[in-house]
Amino acid sequence: MPRSSVLAAPPPPLGDLLRRYRDPGAPLSCEPVAQGLLNHGYHLVTTRGDYFLKHHLDDDRDTIRRQHRATRHLQAFGVPVAPPVEDTHGGTVTVIGGRCYALHPWIEGRHRDGAQLTTVESRRLGALLGLVHTCLDRVMPDGVMEDASRRTHDRTHDRAQDCADPADTFALIDELLPLARRRRPRGTFDVLAEHRLLERRALLERHAHRRPPPVAETATGWVHGDFHPLNLLYRGAEPAAIVDWDRLAVQPRAEEAVRAAAIFFVRPDGELELAKVRAYAAAYRRAAGAGTEELAAAVHRVWWERLNDFWILRWRYQRHDRRADPQFPAASALAVWWTKEYEAVCDAFAG
């Protein structure tokens, strides 16, 4: 797992924590790793080996345990994961001072985006995500799925079930435009932001009638929820571990496949590498048993999502958080290019 120095968080209580485990060794070092929105992580080195120590900011212990059980079961089906280490009582969540921690084996590996994947490796990536979806269907209890589906629907009905309302997007654009224009000192990012906001408003005015219908319940199932290059570690050409299962939930499966491809295979200029997308999508359909109509509907919904999405600008101008700024040029260009090349994108996923 790659190191990073961006995380500033209280040091974990290593002494109390390690005493909960069976001979984990004495701590030698504990360094923060890549910052996440849902947790803090550390590379813990002891006299017995290396570990990934996760501090879950969400202290819903039942949800965390469900994520842990899912990864253990997935590992039994051959999915590359890194299930947590059990403590002396067989548990996987350690609570100290009201904070929830989990200890995982350290996985040596590196992240690879679509530009670093061959067409064959892109096909393997699609097959891997299809395997995740089919195996989750087998390992997650039906009752839990019904409850999670109900809670997901209640929590995200307007966004995930009915899709973005253009009227709300127009209102957001009107909020963001003056913030981008008044930014001082005004830089190239702010100029691009203003351009994209005006451009997107014009696109939405032309395509507002294409708002997707509500998603069919038959298209939903358990998904990883955050499948992208930073949550997949490679060792050489082979996936070593899918990490960060914090967003494990019941959602439209094919949308996760499309959304992941739009992250893996986007070029800096905002275009998708459609040859790799085609190989990836064909492998996903075979592995997940997904039909072309399901993929085509997912393409339409994710396209609409991207057309109405300004989360990076909201972070920058409303939350004063610039961590996502580097993603904006490609992400904002993708929405425009995707609209122009809609048929070609749909054919790559579902053709």
Side-chain angles (χ1 to χ4, degrees), residues 17 27 120 161 172 210 219 224 296 300 311:
L17 191 146
V120 171
Q161 300 297 320
L172 177 60
R210 298 176 66 184
H224 176 275
H300 188 65
W311 73 271

Side-chain angles (χ1 to χ4, degrees), residues 42-316:
Y42 303 85
H43 180 195
L44 172 62
V45 180
T46 77
T47 52
R48 290 285 184 177
D50 291 28
Y51 299 92
F52 176 68
L53 175 61
K54 176 183 281 190
H55 170 202
H56 289 268
L57 300 184
D58 182 351
D59 61 359
D60 185 340
R61 301 170 198 178
D62 290 338
T63 296
I64 298 170
R65 291 187 184 103
R66 184 172 69 207
Q67 296 162 3
H68 291 172
R69 286 194 298 270
T71 55
R72 287 203 305 271
H73 292 314
L74 289 172
Q75 187 178 54
F77 281 104
V79 179
V81 290
V85 179
E86 292 185 349
D87 62 24
T88 54
H89 298 288
T92 58
V93 180
T94 299
V95 182
I96 301 176
R99 296 175 178 173
C100 295
Y101 297 92
L103 195 64
H104 297 257
W106 179 263
I107 306 297
E108 285 294 345
R110 64 189 181 98
H111 305 297
R112 303 177 70 196
D113 60 29
Q116 299 168 306
L117 301 178
T118 66
T119 301
V120 171
E121 290 167 344
S122 301
R123 188 176 299 118
R124 290 176 184 166
L125 179 66
L128 175 61
L129 184 57
L131 176 66
V132 169
H133 288 175
T134 56
C135 288
L136 281 173
D137 278 347
R138 299 175 67 178
V139 306
M140 300 302 288
D142 291 340
V144 176
M145 177 173 177
E146 291 172 4
D147 178 63
S149 180
R150 182 166 53 253
R151 286 187 287 107
T152 300
H153 181 277
D154 292 343
R155 184 174 62 252
T156 62
H157 178 77
D158 290 338
R159 177 177 58 82
Q161 300 297 320
D162 291 337
C163 291
D165 186 334
D168 294 334
T169 306
F170 291 141
L172 177 60
I173 290 173
D174 289 340
E175 290 178 27
L176 293 172
L177 263 173
L179 296 177
R181 286 168 170 165
R182 292 199 302 262
R183 190 80 174 190
R184 295 293 182 273
R186 184 170 168 82
T188 56
F189 184 104
D190 306 299
V191 174
L192 177 61
E194 180 181 357
H195 169 73
R196 291 302 190 199
L197 286 164
L198 293 171
E199 180 181 51
R200 197 79 62 83
R201 184 161 63 188
L203 282 175
L204 276 169
E205 288 171 350
R206 292 201 298 271
H207 297 281
H209 64 285
R210 298 176 66 184
R211 182 183 181 186
V215 66
E217 291 296 328
T218 55
T220 62
W222 285 99
V223 299
H224 176 275
D226 203 18
F227 193 79
H228 58 70
L230 294 182
N231 283 338
L232 179 58
L233 286 163
Y234 278 85
R235 189 177 295 117
E238 297 299 322
I242 303 168
V243 299
D244 284 347
W245 291 80
D246 303 85
R247 295 186 184 272
L248 176 69
V250 176
Q251 294 177 1
R253 292 173 298 238
E255 285 185 33
E256 172 158 83
V258 175
R259 199 173 289 113
I263 301 173
F264 269 96
F265 299 112
V266 65
R267 294 170 173 159
D269 61 3
E271 297 185 12
L272 292 177
E273 295 186 79
L274 292 184
K276 293 181 180 180
V277 168
R278 187 179 299 277
Y280 160 94
Y284 172 79
R285 294 199 309 268
R286 286 193 298 270
T292 56
E293 290 184 4
E294 183 179 351
L295 264 294
V299 167
H300 188 65
R301 290 173 64 83
V302 177
W303 162 75
W304 182 259
E305 175 184 280
R306 289 303 187 100
L307 201 59
N308 286 268
D309 186 26
F310 292 100
W311 73 271
I312 298 175
L313 296 186
R314 295 185 72 168
W315 274 31
R316 177 181 174 88

